[in-house]
RNA sequence: GCGCUUGUAGCUCAGCUGGAUAGAGCAUCGGCCUUCUAAGCCGAGGGUCGCAGGUUCGAGUCCUGCCAAGCGUGCCA
């Protein structure tokens, strides 16, 4: 309907241009909005006010001329000029009813668009280090990222969902060493566990598995392990040097083959756990991209070479630096450390180069807000490599702070006492978890109240939408019990009987769905869809309380059934996109 | 210090990219179940949109400066 009005307005503008009222060169920049107040009709445009200045006219006078030039259309019942110069459109109800038929015809396809057709988008999200289970902080990125990806797909984009697996680097060595140390404990060795090691219970479990499967194959005496190792922090040493020395010792004592065994078991176990966790959360990927494979392919070296050729690398203090400050970053960044090892950033440059080579039209990274300082350097790298950095969009997701009622839930990675995503899912369920995560704008710092999400009573917003869906299902069950068959054609024919305010409101809301979906997708704002579904549920609940659907008059009854059936379809489509269950009974 | 994000009702948040009288939910108060699920509905109260300027027909929304909160500012990832 919006597009239709836009076309009509543009025609009117052309007429005015021909008549010399408007200068031919003016480009009409205007909006068409749903009127908030029913007094203002169904749609309103501000075009007269936008063009008043170039036309050297006052807005209301210009509006009169635009309205006069407006072509007649059967869908437009009436046009009014109001306020400072708004043009308000009143849509013919008969035109509005068509949406019910369209929803029925399109079914699960209703709302999908072709806006992004022919464009490929890559969405990378979560990408947590495989050094432990996902926690609730990752949950928000997972829910948000997956819905953004699904929304883009609904808007016609070809979407590639990807998880970047940091399976190389120091953190992974710390993981492997932590597992080995716990394994030695299993064997009966007495060893002090490093403060900087991974202390979670899952490390012990992996260690126990290895011990069960391989016995003492990886056992080495504790004396050899701690011999000449710099002391740990509690003993007055440096925890970083301490753990680095332990890693080196582990590699020496085990030899690279056995060390790799431990490393791989740790990686595989944890990565599999993450994959299962996400799948159960309704989050799926096309690709799990390995940092290690990237390095082995020589891509990192190649990226550095290209930066070198472009003149952006230099040596200082024994390290190799990327002159990112020349491209808008705060300062230059190290890409190769003094010890000859590439930094995480170096891999990331190669990774983004790889993404670019794959030819995506858009590259979307979803990061935790704590990584925001990282954006300028990645964009700088893309520029330095001659790439169009505007293809890259980084969406930041703020942290969720967990509450249980009034009480803040403490999280600490170090102690291993963090709340995992799995624990959250078990406590509040997949539906509520996804709903709550995506309910807020991603940049909003969010309070996640576990008590509210689990409450099975009035105050929980998740059930509000689901309840509306279940109620509609229930109406159709009642219909069967009364042995009244639903007559679809009869209902469609008598849609004009739906004249109640509640019915017209519901129809108007249903008609908005495609726009909401598209805006939600293009702005990467899933919360708009959530808010829409709540509005839709409200319209239905209100209608439900005000009127009876299963009335004796078959014409009215079937018309109403068609309307609520359309509402049911849109709710199902919206919830399906959010991967939230639409229950037939509650 | 600098940078990013945020600041809207008692609380948690929307506000359609600058539009008409700033909206929801929760909480508070008052009503509605002998007919389709009361996990619902109807009504009431509650606002200096952090503060101060600016831009214009028009600002919660844009620009500047303050104030406050969170995060960042590693040869960690």
């Amino acid at each position: 309907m919006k597009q239709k009005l836009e076309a009509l307005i543009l025609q009117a503008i052309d007429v005015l241009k021909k008549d010399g009222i408007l200068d031919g060169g003016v480009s009409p920049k205007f909006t068409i909005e749903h009127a908030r107040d029913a007094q203002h009709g169904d749609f309103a445009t501000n075009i007269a006010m936008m063009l008043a200045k170039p036309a050297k006219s006052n807005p209301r006078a210009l509006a009169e001329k635009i309205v006069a030039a407006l072509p007649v259309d059967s869908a437009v019942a009436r046009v009014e000029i109001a306020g400072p110069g708004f043009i308000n459109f009143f849509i013919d109800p008969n035109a509005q009813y068509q949406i019910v038929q369209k929803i029925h015809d399109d079914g699960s396809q209703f709302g999908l668009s072709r806006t992004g057709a022919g464009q490929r988008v890559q969405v990378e999200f979560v990408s947590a280090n495989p050094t432990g289970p996902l926690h609730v902080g990752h949950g928000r990125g997972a829910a948000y990222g997956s819905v953004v990806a699904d929304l883009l797909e609904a808007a016609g984009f070809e979407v590639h969902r990807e998880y970047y697996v940091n399976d190389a680097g120091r953190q992974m060595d710390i993981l492997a060493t932590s597992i080995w140390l716990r394994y030695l404990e299993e064997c009966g060795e007495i060893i002090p566990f490093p403060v900087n090691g991974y202390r979670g219970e899952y490390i012990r479990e992996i260690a126990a598995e290895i011990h069960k499967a391989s016995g003492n194959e990886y056992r080495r005496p504790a004396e050899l392990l701690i011999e000449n190792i710099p002391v740990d922090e509690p003993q007055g040493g440096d925890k970083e040097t301490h753990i680095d020395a332990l890693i080196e010792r582990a590699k020496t004592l085990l030899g690279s083959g056995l060390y790799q065994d431990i490393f791989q078991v740790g990686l595989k176990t944890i990565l599999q756990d993450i994959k299962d966790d996400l799948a159960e959360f309704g989050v799926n990927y096309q690709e799990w991209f390995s940092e290690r494979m990237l390095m082995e392919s020589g891509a990192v070296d190649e990226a550095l070479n290209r930066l070198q050729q472009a003149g952006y690398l230099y040596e200082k203090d024994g390290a190799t630096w990327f002159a990112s400050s020349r491209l808008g970053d705060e300062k230059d960044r190290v890409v190769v450390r003094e010890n000859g090892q590439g930094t995480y950033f170096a891999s990331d440059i190669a990774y983004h180069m790889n993404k670019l080579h794959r030819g995506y039209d858009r590259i979307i990274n979803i990061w935790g807000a704590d990584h925001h300082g990282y954006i300028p350097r990645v964009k700088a790298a893309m520029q330095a490599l001659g790439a169009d950095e505007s293809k890259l969009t980084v969406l930041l997701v703020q942290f969720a702070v967990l509450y249980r009622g009034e009480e803040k839930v403490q999280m600490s990675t170090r102690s291993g006492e963090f709340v995992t995503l799995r624990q959250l899912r078990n406590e509040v369920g997949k539906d509520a978890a996804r709903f709550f995560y995506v309910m807020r704008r991603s940049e909003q710092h969010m309070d996640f109240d576990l008590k509210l999400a689990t409450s099975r009573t009035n105050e929980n917003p998740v059930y509000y939408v689901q309840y509306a869906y279940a109620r509609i299902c229930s109406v159709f069950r009642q219909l069967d019990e009364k042995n009244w068959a639903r007559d679809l054609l009869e209902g469609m024919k008598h849609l004009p009987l739906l004249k109640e305010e509640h019915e017209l409101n519901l129809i108007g809301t249903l008609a908005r769905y495609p726009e909401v979906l598209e805006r939600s997708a293009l702005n990467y704002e899933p919360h708009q869809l959530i808010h829409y579904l709540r509005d839709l549920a409200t319209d239905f609940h209100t209608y439900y309380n005000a009127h009876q659907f299963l009335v004796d008059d078959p014409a009215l009854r079937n018309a109403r059934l068609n309307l609520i059936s359309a509402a049911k379809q849109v709710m199902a489509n919206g919830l399906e996109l959010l991967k939230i269950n639409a229950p037939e009974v509650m």
Side-chain angles (χ1 to χ4, degrees):
Chain A
M1 187 58 68
K2 260 191 188 179
Q3 286 93 336
K4 187 173 218 165
L5 292 176
E6 189 176 341
L8 293 177
I9 293 165
L10 287 174
Q11 284 180 48
I13 296 301
D14 282 342
V15 171
L16 294 188
K17 281 182 181 172
K18 257 180 222 148
D19 294 350
I21 296 171
L22 275 174
D23 188 59
V26 300
S27 59
K29 195 178 149 214
F30 63 99
T31 58
I32 300 173
E33 298 193 322
H34 289 276
R36 243 180 283 166
D37 192 329
Q39 274 186 353
H40 302 137
D42 299 295
F43 294 89
T45 179
N46 60 354
I47 188 160
M49 290 175 284
M50 299 302 283
L51 289 180
K53 191 172 269 183
K56 297 191 177 72
S57 169
N58 84 59
R60 288 197 68 117
L62 186 60
E64 303 263 356
K65 287 173 189 160
I66 294 172
V67 170
L70 219 48
V72 180
D73 191 285
S74 61
V76 180
R78 196 163 94 241
V79 183
E80 281 180 5
I81 297 164
F86 288 103
I87 301 175
N88 293 332
F89 294 89
F90 293 76
I91 301 302
D92 184 338
N94 291 314
Q96 304 268 55
Y97 293 130
Q98 290 166 11
I99 199 70
V100 176
Q101 179 73 51
K102 181 163 173 55
I103 292 169
H104 176 263
D105 293 344
D106 291 358
S108 63
Q109 305 291 303
F110 178 71
L112 306 186
S113 78
R114 304 296 302 153
T115 311
Q119 288 196 62
R120 294 170 62 224
V121 188
Q122 193 238 23
V123 183
E124 184 219 322
F125 60 109
V126 185
S127 299
N129 283 347
T131 52
L134 297 176
H135 56 74
V136 290
H138 300 123
R140 191 174 185 188
Y144 176 70
S146 70
V147 177
V148 164
D150 290 353
L151 282 170
L152 287 169
E153 207 160 71
F157 291 90
E158 186 188 320
V159 180
H160 188 83
R161 301 161 183 81
E162 190 160 312
Y163 187 116
Y164 182 51
V165 183
N166 298 119
D167 52 4
R170 184 162 168 268
Q171 295 303 321
M172 290 306 293
D173 281 321
I174 296 177
L175 174 76
T177 302
S178 299
I179 294 171
W180 185 55
L181 293 175
R182 291 302 191 201
Y183 163 88
L184 291 178
E185 288 177 358
E186 284 285 318
C187 295
E189 297 288 341
I190 311 289
I191 49 135
F193 198 81
V195 288
N196 217 16
Y198 287 104
R199 310 181 78 87
E201 195 52 38
Y202 60 96
I203 299 288
R204 290 180 193 275
E205 286 166 16
I206 296 169
E209 282 298 315
I210 295 173
H211 187 241
K212 211 164 85 186
S214 313
N216 285 341
E217 189 183 351
Y218 301 93
R219 183 170 180 173
R220 299 291 181 273
E223 309 86 74
L224 290 180
L225 173 72
I226 54 176
E227 195 180 43
N228 292 328
I229 294 285
V231 292
D232 204 357
E233 196 173 72
Q235 286 76 46
D238 177 53
K239 59 182 180 178
E240 307 288 349
T241 19
H242 176 71
I243 197 134
D244 281 339
L246 279 177
I247 291 168
E248 282 317 305
R249 184 61 50 89
K251 288 178 177 170
T252 318
L253 291 177
L254 285 168
S256 69
L258 294 187
Y259 178 83
Q260 274 305 314
D261 288 351
I262 306 265
F263 187 104
Q264 287 301 331
V265 169
L267 170 63
K268 270 189 191 147
T269 309
I270 291 172
L271 193 56
Q272 192 56 50
D273 175 73
I274 289 174
K275 287 182 180 180
D276 294 344
D277 201 6
L278 288 172
E280 286 164 24
F281 195 41
V283 178
N284 297 295
Y285 289 92
Q286 272 74 49
E287 185 166 353
W288 297 75
F289 192 98
S290 159
E291 179 187 6
R292 173 169 273 238
M293 301 300 277
L294 185 75
M295 294 176 81
E296 287 172 2
S297 74
V300 178
D301 294 335
E302 191 195 327
L304 293 182
N305 281 338
R306 287 191 45 185
L307 285 178
Q308 176 83 327
Q309 282 160 21
Y312 281 101
L313 294 190
Y314 65 90
E315 305 286 324
K316 194 181 96 184
D317 303 333
T320 306
W321 297 69
F322 167 48
S324 54
S325 62
R326 276 161 51 194
L327 297 166
D329 197 8
E330 276 179 34
K331 53 180 157 185
D332 295 348
R333 309 288 173 179
V334 170
V335 285
V336 181
R337 280 185 277 252
E338 205 176 344
N339 66 10
Q341 285 190 330
T343 58
Y344 171 83
F345 178 45
S347 307
D348 225 15
I349 295 171
Y351 180 42
H352 281 90
M353 199 169 88
N354 177 287
K355 289 184 182 187
L356 287 163
H357 283 166
R358 283 188 258 163
Y360 297 112
D361 298 287
R362 296 187 193 191
I363 296 169
I364 297 173
N365 290 354
I366 294 170
W367 287 348
D370 54 333
H371 284 66
H372 65 77
Y374 202 75
I375 299 170
R377 76 187 75 166
V378 172
K379 293 225 169 197
M382 290 179 74
Q383 264 183 278
L385 291 166
D388 176 10
E389 92 276 5
S390 68
K391 279 187 179 173
L392 173 69
T393 303
V394 179
L395 302 173
L396 296 176
V397 177
Q398 291 288 343
F399 286 127
V401 181
L402 285 186
Y403 285 84
R404 207 178 294 274
E406 296 290 301
E407 191 190 343
K408 193 168 172 176
V409 178
Q410 292 299 334
M411 281 195 293
S412 162
T413 315
R414 183 152 310 161
S415 60
E417 287 171 7
F418 52 82
V419 179
T420 63
L421 176 59
R422 187 170 271 118
Q423 287 168 332
L424 177 76
R425 288 195 290 110
N426 289 339
E427 184 165 337
V428 312
K430 183 189 85 163
D431 290 347
R434 288 186 69 101
F435 193 96
F436 271 74
Y437 271 134
V438 155
M439 182 164 68
R440 306 297 183 212
R441 237 167 64 238
S442 65
E443 309 94 69
Q444 267 287 355
H445 300 101
M446 182 175 72
D447 291 347
F448 194 131
D449 186 346
L450 293 168
K451 211 171 113 195
L452 181 62
T454 43
S455 81
R456 300 205 124 265
T457 44
N458 50 0
E459 48 199 55
N460 194 327
V462 186
Y463 297 119
Y464 186 77
V465 177
Q466 293 182 322
Y467 183 46
Y469 184 87
R471 266 184 156 177
I472 298 174
C473 294
S474 174
V475 171
F476 282 97
R477 281 194 298 272
Q478 295 286 325
L479 184 74
D480 286 343
E481 280 168 29
K482 290 184 191 247
N483 284 320
W484 276 345
R486 174 186 173 199
D487 189 330
L488 193 69
L489 289 176
E490 170 97 351
M492 291 301 179
K493 202 168 76 186
H494 291 105
L495 287 175
L497 292 175
L498 304 177
K499 289 197 181 81
E500 303 287 349
E501 191 189 347
H502 294 101
E503 292 165 338
L504 297 175
N505 282 344
L506 183 53
I507 289 168
T509 302
L510 289 171
R512 264 171 55 209
Y513 179 68
E515 295 162 30
V516 170
L517 209 53
E518 182 161 313
R519 202 169 62 228
S520 209
L522 296 180
N523 293 337
Y524 315 120
E525 289 181 340
H527 74 274
Q528 293 202 26
L529 177 56
I530 297 254
H531 283 278
Y532 171 81
L533 289 175
R534 288 187 59 166
D535 287 348
L536 179 57
T538 298
D539 283 343
F540 171 75
H541 283 310
T542 308
Y543 181 31
Y544 181 97
N545 276 276
H547 300 282
Q548 193 80 19
F549 307 136
L550 300 178
V551 292
D552 290 331
D553 173 13
L556 182 60
R557 183 174 71 232
N558 281 301
R560 286 184 169 169
L561 287 174
N562 282 3
L563 174 57
I564 63 170
S565 164
K568 179 185 162 193
Q569 182 70 61
V570 173
M571 286 176 200
N573 292 2
L575 289 172
E576 166 66 27
L577 261 170
L578 297 167
K579 295 277 187 350
I580 292 174
N581 187 42
E584 305 212 339
V585 183
M586 279 178 80

